[in-house]
Amino acid sequence: MFESGSDEGAWNVVVSTIYRDARGYEAVKQDFEPIRKGHQEVLIEGRGLDDLGTVVDSREMFEHPGNTSC
């Protein structure tokens, strides 16, 4: 998760999900679905996700193959 440090503009938080390979969620779905089904929503001051924010963009991104900084 990254914050812009300001409430100015179209967004102020970026949430990044990283998967182990190009199959993305499909690669972990079988293991993760039982965990997801056990999740319970936790309200913040009585508000759920739809009340707290809006997804303004969604992008699929890939690491550059020449990146050796990780």
Side-chain angles (χ1 to χ4, degrees), residues 39-68:
H39 284 183
Q40 294 181 0
E41 181 178 21
V42 175
L43 300 179
I44 299 173
E45 296 179 359
R47 299 183 300 171
L49 183 60
D50 290 340
D51 302 317
L52 295 169
T54 303
V55 174
V56 296
D57 193 9
S58 179
R59 296 179 188 206
E60 198 170 301
M61 301 171 75
F62 301 93
E63 183 177 10
H64 187 278
N67 185 350
T68 59

Side-chain angles (χ1 to χ4, degrees), residues 10-32:
W11 60 270
N12 62 352
V13 176
V14 173
V15 177
S16 176
T17 303
I18 300 171
Y19 295 103
R20 60 182 165 217
D21 62 37
R23 294 177 296 157
Y25 183 72
E26 288 302 314
V28 298
K29 185 176 181 177
Q30 182 177 351
D31 294 330
F32 185 71

